[in-house]
Amino acid sequence: MSSFTDSGPSSDPRRLTNRNTNRYSVNQLYSMAAENDTDIEDDLSRAQKRLRDLKARISAQSKKNFVLERDVRYLDSRIALLIQNRMALDEQNEVQQHLEEIEPNEGAFPPERRLTQYSNLFFLLQSEPRHIASLCRLVSLSEIDTLLQTVMFTLYGNQYESREEHLLLTMFQSVLSAQFETATEFGSLLRANTPVSRMMTTYTRRGPGQSYLKSVLSDRINGLIEHRDLNLEINPLKVYEQMVTQIEEETGTLPPNLPRGVPPETAAANPDVQAIIAPRLTMLMEIANSFLLTIIESMESAPYGIRWICKQIRSLTRRKYPDATDYAICSLIGGFFFLRFVNPAVVTPQAFMLVDGVPAKHPRRTLTLIAKMLQNLANKPSYAKEQYMSSLNPFVENNKARINLFLNNLCEVGDFYDTLE
């Protein structure tokens, strides 16, 4: 019994000592961990304070940078004017060296004082667009082209410099605001051929707009004009005339029931004409759908200025006509985007360098019909003058919601006012 007691764990001094030692080590670990937690909290606190200080310094420095960048832009514009003046002086010296008959004092170049005054006027007109906006509202339609050439391609000629582009758009905002303020009828807004509408068309001719049109439309149009003999005419009177001409060429005579010079109603009622037109309508709608899909998918690559003008049209319309429907507002936006911007390139692609040479007769007519379809889709269609276009109304009805969504999304761009401060 005693041997059992002596051999138990509690009777072994060594074991007891080891257990106490283990207990002490655990307590020590807890103490060390507590000390480490305190050190970590101190380090974290110091790091957070450092981070707050850095954020404050970055914020203050960002404000200073903004002011410095604004000053740099101002100085850059002044330096540009000085360079222009220096170039004028160099040109004067060059002329004097090569053309001995020109006397230096004959007034071939304006005196330095007048040149400086002109440079100051140039800078004032460029940096404060409201003056140009007022002038654009005063000139007649016959005078607007000369003014626009100076404004669009000289005064704001650097088409890829954001500051000049934004100043030009500010001028557009002033002109459009005045146009809406003086408007008496919703239906006439931006549709008549006025100095303002001419301005908007001219703006789309600038570099960014031309690059967009080429990237979006060039492949579609070139693919279409390759089919030189593809005739998609749907005007019943023209189809009838082409039909009887072909019959006469093939047989040498015309049947009594196919006389020339019939009225449009008679041509439209002819069963053979209807049979010719039916598949052409289907093909035209397929082609127009392919053009429309390409344009919709290109929204993100549309030039900022074009989208911003669309945004202003929507904003000004809502302010002037708060009861206007979304469809009516989109018709105004579409009138600018399609009528003034996209459709001219579709109808005359050679003028926009989208194709090499003038398209053949049949593709040229097809492009005209496609442009009419896009315009009827984007704007309120009217078939009073061309009743045969009503046959393509399913294209309009099927895509009305899609085009309105596209035009509204086109307007979703930010403003640039902060960059001009």
Side-chain angles (χ1 to χ4, degrees):
M1 184 65 117
S2 66
S3 76
F4 177 80
T5 304
D6 290 342
S7 63
S10 57
S11 61
D12 190 345
R14 183 175 55 81
R15 288 181 178 272
L16 183 60
T17 301
N18 287 341
R19 187 173 63 180
N20 291 337
T21 301
N22 290 339
R23 186 184 296 119
Y24 175 78
S25 298
V26 171
N27 291 337
Q28 187 178 27
L29 286 174
Y30 277 121
S31 177
M32 292 173 62
E35 291 177 1
N36 287 338
D37 286 344
T38 303
D39 293 340
I40 292 173
E41 289 178 359
D42 290 342
D43 291 341
L44 182 59
S45 178
R46 284 192 294 270
Q48 289 175 337
K49 184 177 183 302
R50 176 65 174 165
L51 185 60
R52 286 194 299 270
D53 292 341
L54 288 174
K55 287 182 177 179
R57 289 175 58 187
I58 291 173
S59 178
Q61 191 62 44
S62 296
K63 293 179 181 179
K64 292 180 181 178
N65 289 345
F66 177 80
V67 174
L68 289 173
E69 288 174 1
R70 183 186 61 189
D71 293 342
V72 166
R73 287 195 298 268
Y74 173 79
L75 291 173
D76 183 62
S77 62
R78 303 300 291 180
I79 291 171
L81 292 175
L82 290 174
I83 292 174
Q84 289 179 355
N85 293 342
R86 181 61 185 172
M87 290 175 63
L89 180 60
D90 291 343
E91 290 172 359
Q92 180 179 357
N93 294 333
E94 183 179 348
V95 170
Q96 290 175 1
Q97 292 173 3
H98 291 84
L99 301 178
E100 297 179 352
E101 67 274 18
I102 296 182
E103 295 295 331
N105 297 324
E106 283 186 356
F109 291 89
E112 183 178 353
R113 178 174 175 273
R114 186 177 300 175
L115 196 58
T116 301
Q117 291 174 336
Y118 173 79
S119 299
N120 291 334
L121 175 62
F122 185 96
F123 177 77
L124 176 66
L125 293 175
Q126 185 191 59
S127 58
E128 298 188 20
R130 68 179 187 275
H131 302 302
I132 296 295
S134 299
L135 187 59
C136 289
R137 294 195 296 267
L138 295 174
V139 299
S140 64
L141 188 60
S142 61
E143 299 169 325
I144 191 65
D145 286 339
T146 303
L147 175 62
L148 291 179
Q149 182 178 359
T150 302
V151 172
M152 300 284 187
F153 303 104
T154 301
L155 193 61
Y156 301 106
N158 192 346
Q159 302 173 35
Y160 295 94
E161 203 279 314
S162 59
R163 184 173 184 275
E164 287 195 16
E165 183 75 2
H166 295 165
L167 287 169
L168 178 58
L169 292 176
T170 302
M171 185 269 291
F172 264 100
Q173 185 182 38
S174 299
V175 172
L176 286 173
S177 297
Q179 179 84 352
F180 274 81
E181 288 175 3
T182 57
T184 56
E185 295 181 3
F186 183 88
S188 62
L189 271 171
L190 305 180
R191 289 188 173 90
N193 191 17
T194 65
V196 175
S197 62
R198 190 74 65 82
M199 281 179 60
M200 299 172 71
T201 301
T202 304
Y203 176 79
T204 65
R205 301 294 193 271
R206 287 163 64 89
Q210 299 302 290
S211 299
Y212 167 81
L213 292 173
K214 187 171 183 64
S215 65
V216 173
L217 297 177
S218 181
D219 289 345
R220 284 289 176 196
I221 293 176
N222 277 286
L224 177 62
I225 65 176
E226 288 178 357
H227 305 282
R228 298 174 57 88
D229 297 325
L230 180 61
N231 184 358
L232 296 180
E233 178 61 69
I234 59 169
N235 183 339
L237 192 57
K238 291 184 178 181
V239 172
Y240 179 88
E241 292 172 353
Q242 293 170 0
M243 182 183 69
V244 296
T245 298
Q246 182 179 356
I247 292 175
E248 188 175 28
E249 290 176 351
E250 293 176 352
T251 63
T253 183
L254 282 177
N257 63 332
L258 293 176
R260 289 188 177 275
V262 301
E265 296 79 10
T266 302
N270 185 285
D272 293 329
V273 170
Q274 294 174 356
I276 293 173
I277 290 177
R280 294 181 179 181
L281 292 172
T282 302
M283 187 171 292
L284 273 174
M285 286 189 277
E286 290 177 355
I287 296 173
N289 269 313
S290 69
F291 271 73
L292 178 61
L293 181 61
T294 300
I295 293 169
I296 290 176
E297 291 178 344
S298 72
M299 185 188 69
E300 294 300 330
S301 63
Y304 171 82
I306 299 291
R307 298 184 64 179
W308 191 84
I309 290 177
C310 291
K311 177 180 179 179
Q312 297 309 304
I313 293 173
R314 184 176 69 172
S315 175
L316 291 168
T317 305
R318 287 175 175 175
R319 188 185 312 166
K320 176 75 173 182
Y321 301 98
D323 297 330
T325 64
D326 185 64
Y327 176 69
I329 295 173
C330 285
S331 72
L332 289 181
I333 302 170
F336 166 64
F337 187 80
F338 284 97
L339 178 63
R340 307 288 176 186
F341 182 39
V342 173
N343 282 359
V346 175
V347 175
T348 55
Q350 70 278 5
F352 293 79
M353 294 180 289
L354 305 185
V355 298
D356 297 327
V358 180
K361 176 183 177 181
H362 292 321
R364 189 165 66 248
R365 175 59 177 167
T366 300
L367 289 172
T368 299
L369 292 171
I370 296 299
K372 289 177 182 289
M373 294 171 70
L374 292 175
Q375 185 58 35
N376 285 337
L377 175 61
N379 210 338
K380 186 177 181 180
S382 174
Y383 304 118
K385 295 181 179 179
E386 297 174 320
Q387 293 184 3
Y388 63 89
M389 289 296 295
S390 62
S391 301
L392 295 166
N393 199 54
F395 170 77
V396 175
E397 294 300 324
N398 293 337
N399 291 291
K400 187 183 300 182
R402 183 160 65 153
I403 196 64
N404 283 2
L405 178 62
F406 165 74
L407 292 172
N408 274 310
N409 289 337
L410 201 64
C411 300
E412 299 301 326
V413 290
D415 286 318
F416 53 82
Y417 304 118
D418 291 343
T419 64
L420 299 178
E421 292 181 0

